[in-house]
Amino acid sequence: MTSFWSAWIIILTSITLIAMTWLLLGNRKTGAKKEDTPTGHAYDGIEEYDNPLPAWWFFMFLITIIWGVGYLVVYPGMGNFPGVIGWTSTGQHAERVAAAEERHRAMYDRYLAMPIEDIASDPMVRRMGMRMFGNNCAQCHGADARGGYGFPNLTDSDWLYGGDAKTIEASITNGRQAAMPAWENVIGDRGVEEVAAYVLRLNNHEPDAAMADAGEAHFKTYCVACHGPDGKGNPALGAPNLTDGIWLYGGTPSEIAHSVRAGRNGVMPAFNHQLGPEKIHILSAYVYGLREAN
């Protein structure tokens, strides 16, 4: 926070506290209690009287103000002033996380020393992995891990980069950056439609034969480098299998054509700094076991 906004908050907070104190104490009636006198305000036959606050109510307000001032002295709340004890919510969170990590260190180390395949069915690992998945992965892959448009289904056997335990762990640790170039400027709009027709034929559809034949020529010129001569993809590049009817961005003729025309760029963030190797090992075991669980 800049010094200007810090000073602004301090000034406004101080003025508010002073004004509330003056309003409370300045209008406190003292001396012997006098006969009730009306203020002259009346509504629907009901008159307003100028009576003091009950003592218990007055002192509750006073205690609240004193408590608020004390709080702002001890804890942060006055701009950049950190409070006399230096407490912060982020610091408290870090302390609690560190304490929890230390408390579970032996368990994490034990699981880390075991192969992912061996702990994938462990009930404790499943419970911990499910919570980690819900906190870090469900936003994209869904709570049931079945993915959605542009996000892979993690419960089937179709994997862009491979579904073995070590590859899953590498994907979570380092993330993935997929890139398919746009081909419209290379093969033209007609060429895009022809390639889409050929891809449909790879999936046992029956598009226009001439279009599909022309698309096969384009495919073997431009697409074969990533997707392979048979269209079955390449896990080393993250190039999907185009023959199995499983589509990340949709498998209709228009959706396939759009992928060819405009290209695709998928990004999975790396979690190595966020989770660390122990938690990634457990999360990998959970993801690895999703196929058996489903």
Side-chain angles (χ1 to χ4, degrees):
M1 186 186 300
T2 64
S3 56
F4 169 80
W5 288 113
S6 176
W8 179 260
I9 292 172
I10 292 172
I11 292 171
L12 284 182
T13 304
S14 299
I15 291 174
T16 300
L17 288 171
I18 292 171
M20 288 192 302
T21 304
W22 173 82
L23 181 65
L24 183 66
L25 299 178
N27 291 279
R28 175 69 172 169
K29 292 183 179 296
T30 59
K33 185 178 180 180
K34 299 180 181 179
E35 183 179 353
D36 293 341
T37 55
T39 62
H41 300 155
Y43 180 78
D44 199 20
I46 301 174
E47 289 186 297
E48 179 184 5
Y49 285 84
D50 187 17
N51 292 329
L53 288 173
W56 65 271
W57 202 349
F58 170 82
F59 285 111
M60 280 185 62
F61 278 123
L62 188 62
I63 291 171
T64 300
I65 293 174
I66 294 172
W67 184 89
V69 173
Y71 180 93
L72 293 173
V73 171
V74 176
Y75 293 96
M78 295 288 277
N80 290 331
F81 177 63
V84 296
I85 65 172
W87 178 91
T88 63
S89 59
T90 54
Q92 184 184 61
H93 176 264
E95 291 176 1
R96 292 181 176 179
V97 169
E101 295 283 355
E102 185 62 31
R103 188 166 61 251
H104 297 107
R105 174 57 50 197
M107 178 187 64
Y108 285 144
D109 290 343
R110 177 167 59 87
Y111 284 129
L112 184 60
M114 300 171 65
I116 288 174
E117 295 88 343
D118 292 349
I119 65 174
S121 58
D122 186 293
M124 178 66 74
V125 170
R126 301 296 301 168
R127 288 194 293 270
M128 290 189 295
M130 182 172 62
R131 288 193 291 269
M132 293 179 195
F133 187 92
N135 291 333
N136 299 281
C137 314
Q139 295 87 340
C140 294
H141 295 283
D144 59 359
R146 295 186 182 278
Y149 184 83
F151 301 104
N153 181 349
L154 303 180
T155 67
D156 59 17
S157 59
D158 188 79
W159 294 86
L160 292 175
Y161 296 90
D164 61 281
K166 286 299 181 183
T167 302
I168 292 174
E169 190 170 36
S171 295
I172 298 174
T173 301
N174 303 314
R176 296 293 184 180
Q177 174 69 63
M180 173 180 167
W183 293 105
E184 183 177 23
N185 292 335
V186 178
I187 60 178
D189 190 66
R190 174 74 177 183
V192 167
E193 299 295 334
E194 291 169 345
V195 171
Y198 175 67
V199 172
L200 286 170
R201 189 165 72 184
L202 288 176
N203 286 268
N204 298 318
H205 293 277
E206 297 181 358
D208 181 83
M211 292 277 288
D213 290 341
E216 182 177 6
H218 293 309
F219 189 93
K220 291 183 176 180
T221 301
Y222 300 106
C223 311
V224 67
C226 293
H227 295 283
D230 54 3
K232 294 187 180 297
N234 185 350
L237 302 174
N241 184 344
L242 303 179
T243 68
D244 59 5
I246 298 176
W247 301 95
L248 193 59
Y249 296 97
T252 66
S254 60
E255 289 170 327
I256 295 173
H258 181 74
S259 294
V260 177
R261 180 180 295 108
R264 297 292 185 181
N265 291 279
V267 178
M268 174 181 167
F271 287 91
N272 54 332
H273 297 300
Q274 185 173 338
L275 295 178
E278 300 88 354
K279 292 182 179 178
I280 287 177
H281 198 71
I282 292 173
L283 179 57
S284 300
Y286 173 76
V287 174
Y288 181 81
L290 283 173
R291 285 168 295 178
E292 296 181 0
N294 290 276

